[in-house]
């Protein structure tokens, strides 16, 4: 009961086939509770635990989370992946391959992305503060349509507002601490 109660403060996301924990919160738990917490996650994900799963796997997870590197990955039986990305650890069971997407928006409308998020394009003549999160403003007369919304590709680069030259999108993701497994689901919006 104590482990289950503590794990409720550690788990940041729980869905079918995936559990995400906050490493900072998890690491302050006593080691016996950490071991039992990992067992609870494995029991939740595996409907039937494989015979090849052992205490060694739990030790590997604890070692992964105690390292100073920001990311790492473990492969467990029956396709379970344990992915550390910055201060989150994802336990993913099943085939979570990158889902490619490509959409074109030539007129106002909405695009539903495979990750469940939505992008909206609309025209407005109302004042919108430019520092609003998740909003980008463009002058209609200066934009070339259609907008293309797609996965990132190797070598993608962009110019950041107020800077000279371009930066790799990969480096921007790293600087912003976007987790490794999320980077391929983030949309790239371009007009070429």
């Amino acid at each position: 009961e104590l482990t289950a109660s503590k794990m409720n403060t550690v788990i940041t996301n729980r869905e079918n086939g995936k559990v995400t924990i906050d490493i900072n919160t998890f690491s302050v738990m006593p080691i016996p509770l950490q071991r039992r917490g990992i067992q609870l996650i494995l029991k939740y994900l595996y409907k039937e635990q494989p015979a090849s799963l052992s205490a060694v796997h739990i030790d590997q997870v604890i070692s992964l989370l105690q390292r100073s590197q920001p990311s790492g990955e473990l492969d467990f039986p029956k396709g379970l992946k344990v992915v550390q990305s910055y201060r989150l650890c994802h336990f993913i069971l099943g085939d979570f391959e990158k889902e490619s997407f490509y959409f074109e928006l030539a007129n106002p409308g909405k695009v539903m992305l495979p990750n469940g998020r939505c992008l909206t394009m609309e025209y407005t003549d109302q004042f919108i503060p430019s520092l609003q999160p998740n909003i980008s403003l463009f002058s209609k007369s200066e934009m070339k349509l259609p907008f293309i919304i797609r996965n990132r590709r190797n070598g993608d680069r962009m110019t950041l507002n107020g800077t000279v030259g371009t930066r790799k999108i990969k480096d921007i993701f790293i600087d912003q601490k976007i987790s490794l497994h999320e980077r391929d689901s983030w949309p790239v919006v371009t007009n070429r």
Side-chain angles (χ1 to χ4, degrees):
E1 286 179 21
L2 178 60
T3 303
S5 172
K6 288 281 191 186
M7 289 305 289
N8 284 333
T9 65
V10 168
I11 294 174
T12 62
N13 184 31
R14 181 182 317 173
E15 56 192 70
N16 191 26
K18 181 179 176 186
V19 173
T20 302
I21 64 170
D22 178 274
I23 296 171
N24 291 335
T25 310
F26 183 78
S27 64
V28 297
M29 291 171 45
I31 293 291
L33 288 182
Q34 288 181 19
R35 295 179 66 76
R36 183 70 182 124
I38 294 167
Q39 285 176 335
L40 288 176
I41 291 170
L42 296 176
K43 189 177 278 189
Y44 170 77
L45 291 173
Y46 286 122
K47 302 311 175 206
E48 292 180 32
Q49 288 200 352
S52 58
L53 194 68
S54 69
V56 171
H57 292 96
I58 293 171
D59 292 339
Q60 289 175 334
V61 173
I62 291 172
S63 293
L64 175 72
L65 302 182
Q66 291 175 344
R67 298 174 333 137
S68 61
Q69 288 87 352
S71 61
E73 189 173 304
L74 298 170
D75 290 313
F76 279 11
K78 292 194 175 181
L80 177 70
K81 287 196 175 296
V82 181
V83 181
Q84 176 200 5
S85 185
Y86 299 103
R87 298 317 299 160
L88 294 175
C89 182
H90 310 278
F91 295 79
I92 306 167
L93 183 63
D95 188 18
F96 283 82
E97 293 285 317
K98 162 180 140 173
E99 189 170 343
S100 293
F101 57 90
Y102 179 96
F103 303 100
E104 290 188 14
L105 262 179
N107 296 302
K110 292 184 179 186
V111 170
M112 290 301 296
L113 300 173
N115 64 6
R117 294 186 177 140
C118 177
L119 280 176
T120 304
M121 179 178 112
E122 58 187 42
Y123 298 131
T124 184
D125 55 5
Q126 298 176 7
F127 174 75
I128 298 174
S130 62
L131 296 179
Q132 289 268 338
N134 302 321
I135 294 178
S136 294
L137 299 174
F138 305 100
S139 170
K140 182 179 175 185
S141 63
E142 295 176 14
M143 293 311 303
K144 179 182 162 198
L145 294 176
F147 284 131
I148 297 166
I149 300 119
R150 61 170 173 77
N151 299 79
R152 71 182 176 125
R153 296 180 186 148
N154 285 338
D156 275 346
R157 300 180 77 82
M158 70 180 284
T159 302
L160 297 175
N161 198 15
T163 64
V164 177
T166 62
R167 291 199 59 210
K168 288 183 180 178
I169 289 180
K170 173 186 169 184
D171 294 337
I172 295 168
F173 281 155
I174 291 169
D175 291 347
Q176 294 299 312
K177 297 189 176 6
I178 305 300
S179 69
L180 194 58
H181 82 281
E182 288 184 70
R183 293 176 195 169
D184 289 326
S185 67
W186 276 62
V188 171
V189 181
T190 182
N191 60 355
R192 27 189 139 134

